[in-house]
Amino acid sequence: LGEYILKVVNSHTKYKNSAIGLVSCLIDTFPAFQDMSKLSVGRAENELELHFARKAQQLALDLYSRFGNEQDNFNFPDIENITALADNELVYILRKLRILQVSDELMNTIDVEKTKLKKACAQETALRASCVAAVELLKSKLNESLSENITSSMLDAYLRLNFGIKNAPEGNENEDSLALHLTSTEAY
């Protein structure tokens, strides 16, 4: 993997020094990085193909964080294009902060019954897509009021550090009895 990453960031002219290019190459080359779901919109024949790329984006962020100041090939000028890392922890955080709300039925499934959602099912896909959209909206509002440019990945990291599972009491539940949504997936 390391050799492949160096090949991508050093030799592909289209993807040289590009976080998004690296993410694209990882997704195209390694099945473990292929994190895609389909979501029906409106009528059943209208489907959106959503590429979350959670693990691939995390790897690009980690390389940028670790080596970006030391090696030009990891100082990705497009790192701000990395989105929030859509997973069950970020969904939990946004629900905990009352930024993301779910239907009573889904709330019962997640918090009371603790039923495992099927991988890439409509509910799980909608939760992940909603958390990316919520972070983008929150980022936009924060950037309107601050002089600094906050990226989605910076906001994601802040939310996880300050409100993540490590801050939840045993059982991953908070005072409002929120739980992580469970799912069988290799995507995160």
Side-chain angles (χ1 to χ4, degrees):
L1 181 60
E3 256 180 59
Y4 178 79
I5 291 169
L6 287 173
K7 180 181 169 188
V8 169
V9 298
N10 289 328
S11 63
H12 285 46
T13 54
K14 181 178 175 182
Y15 299 125
K16 186 176 176 93
N17 294 36
S18 170
I20 299 303
L22 176 59
V23 168
S24 291
C25 287
L26 290 169
I27 291 167
D28 291 344
T29 307
F30 299 100
F33 289 108
Q34 294 167 0
D35 178 11
M36 187 273 299
S37 299
K38 292 183 179 183
L39 186 63
S40 293
V41 181
R43 288 188 246 139
E45 66 269 7
N46 296 328
E47 280 191 333
L48 287 176
E49 198 171 89
L50 303 173
H51 295 265
F52 295 108
R54 198 257 184 249
K55 283 196 231 177
Q57 290 192 113
Q58 181 69 64
L59 181 54
L61 283 167
D62 289 346
L63 291 169
Y64 175 80
S65 295
R66 172 60 183 90
F67 300 111
N69 290 330
E70 300 169 14
Q71 299 177 24
D72 288 342
N73 53 352
F74 293 112
N75 190 9
F76 304 127
D78 61 347
I79 197 71
E80 74 276 354
N81 294 325
I82 298 290
T83 66
L85 304 176
D87 62 14
N88 57 351
E89 182 178 17
L90 191 55
V91 169
Y92 165 85
I93 292 165
L94 295 173
R95 289 182 63 218
K96 178 180 176 180
L97 296 174
R98 298 185 188 337
I99 295 170
L100 182 63
Q101 297 180 345
V102 299
S103 68
D104 290 342
E105 179 184 348
L106 185 54
M107 185 172 55
N108 188 59
T109 300
I110 295 169
D111 301 330
V112 179
E113 297 171 0
K114 300 191 185 342
T115 302
K116 190 179 283 190
L117 301 177
K118 291 182 182 169
K119 176 184 176 182
C121 72
Q123 292 170 317
E124 211 257 341
T125 300
L127 286 170
R128 294 181 75 198
S130 296
C131 86
V132 172
V135 168
E136 289 299 315
L137 183 59
L138 186 56
K139 174 189 80 171
S140 176
K141 295 293 183 187
L142 285 169
N143 284 333
E144 283 176 15
S145 62
L146 300 172
S147 61
E148 196 170 328
N149 185 30
I150 295 173
T151 65
S152 298
S153 58
M154 290 167 64
L155 183 53
D156 182 314
Y158 174 84
L159 291 168
R160 289 173 193 275
L161 182 64
N162 291 284
F163 304 102
I165 298 305
K166 70 173 183 62
N167 295 320
E170 194 167 320
N172 293 331
E173 295 179 358
N174 67 16
E175 60 278 359
D176 295 323
S177 299
L178 296 181
L180 285 171
H181 73 272
L182 305 173
T183 189
S184 294
T185 185
E186 307 83 39
Y188 49 88

